[in-house]
Amino acid sequence: MFNFIKDTFNKTIIDLENPKILKTLFFSILITTIIAIIIFIFFYYFLFSSLFNLSDPSNFDEDGILYYIFSLKIFAVLLGIIQFFTSWILVSLILVPIGSIVSGLFAEKIFFNIKETHNYKWEKKLKKNAFYLSNKFALIAAIKSFLINILILPLYLLLPIANIFIFIFVNGLLIGREFCGNFLIQFFEKEKIKLINLHLDSKIYVLGIFVVVLYTIPFVNLLAPTIANLLFSHLILQSNKSIFK
């Protein structure tokens, strides 16, 4: 496992110097940034900002217990911590489904660029509607991951600091399956993909966790979809070919 991680990461770093990959990276960042800004403004200013304003002491009777609690400095500090980590997680929550969709747009191009650059042997042929299947898979996966994260949103809100670890471990498998599936769906049927996932399960999860960590780092998170495509291209192309038969 260690050699696999080391080898895959080294190759991915080299790939980022490839002019073809850099061009794809630029368009990926541009699309991701535009969509993320629009969605973040909507969520933060129209939903979360309104939610946190409910704790303003002026909303309560000056003689009441709630006014006293919300007026305490320690509550203000606690609220500030919650807002900070919530905003951090919110950005990641937004970028994860966007990353899946953006991944679908560039998955095929990156896959074959990696194949040619590193002289990987890959004999499977694309399905006729591969681009459509990849983007359909990416969109459905994005919706699933978004809904799952919405269901556990209370944990993100109530457990500052811990919410980062919860986010990473929950989304590690989701993202791993999403990005790996973006490639596999272009060549294989769903039942075959399930078998491949079983063979590559631990590697998919390790790469998934790494990508999720990238999503929590400001500015680096904009690179995450492309880096994920590179990592999972290598995972598939350098895996034992017997699992694809």
Side-chain angles (χ1 to χ4, degrees), residues 13-183:
I13 292 172
I14 294 173
D15 292 332
L16 291 173
E17 299 176 356
N18 185 324
K20 293 181 180 179
I21 299 298
L22 284 175
K23 184 178 179 181
T24 302
L25 181 64
F26 171 78
F27 285 111
S28 175
I29 291 174
L30 182 63
I31 295 171
T32 302
T33 303
I34 292 173
I35 298 175
I37 289 175
I38 294 172
I39 296 178
F40 180 79
I41 290 174
F42 172 79
F43 268 90
Y44 189 81
Y45 286 100
F46 289 93
L47 295 178
F48 278 83
S49 183
S50 300
L51 180 62
F52 286 120
N53 284 337
L54 292 176
S55 63
D56 189 330
S58 62
N59 293 325
F60 305 95
D61 185 357
E62 292 186 6
D63 297 325
I65 186 66
L66 290 178
Y67 178 87
Y68 173 75
I69 293 174
F70 292 138
S71 297
L72 294 174
K73 289 186 178 181
I74 190 171
F75 181 82
V77 172
L78 180 61
L79 184 62
I81 293 173
I82 293 174
Q83 284 181 304
F84 174 77
F85 283 101
T86 299
S87 299
W88 192 352
I89 291 297
L90 177 60
V91 172
S92 302
L93 285 176
I94 291 170
L95 287 174
V96 166
I98 293 175
S100 296
I101 295 171
V102 172
S103 168
L105 297 174
F106 301 105
E108 178 184 331
K109 186 174 182 179
I110 287 179
F111 186 84
F112 286 104
N113 279 338
I114 296 301
K115 174 183 174 295
E116 294 173 5
T117 301
H118 296 274
N119 296 315
Y120 284 121
K121 293 182 180 180
W122 182 260
E123 299 176 353
K124 297 294 180 180
K125 293 184 179 180
L126 282 169
K127 296 178 181 177
K128 292 182 180 179
N129 56 344
F131 182 76
Y132 165 75
L133 290 173
S134 178
N135 283 278
K136 178 184 176 183
F137 180 91
L139 181 60
I140 293 174
I143 293 172
K144 285 182 179 178
S145 64
F146 180 75
L147 291 176
I148 289 173
N149 279 292
I150 289 296
L151 286 175
I152 59 176
L153 186 60
L155 294 179
Y156 296 147
L157 296 174
L158 299 173
L159 300 172
I161 301 178
N163 55 14
I164 296 175
F165 295 98
I166 296 171
F167 174 77
I168 291 173
F169 290 115
V170 168
N171 286 275
L173 184 59
L174 292 175
I175 285 181
R177 292 289 177 87
E178 287 171 16
F179 280 92
C180 194
N182 278 346
F183 297 111

Side-chain angles (χ1 to χ4, degrees), residues 48 72 154 186 204 214:
F48 278 83
L72 294 174
Q186 299 181 59
I204 289 174
L214 294 182

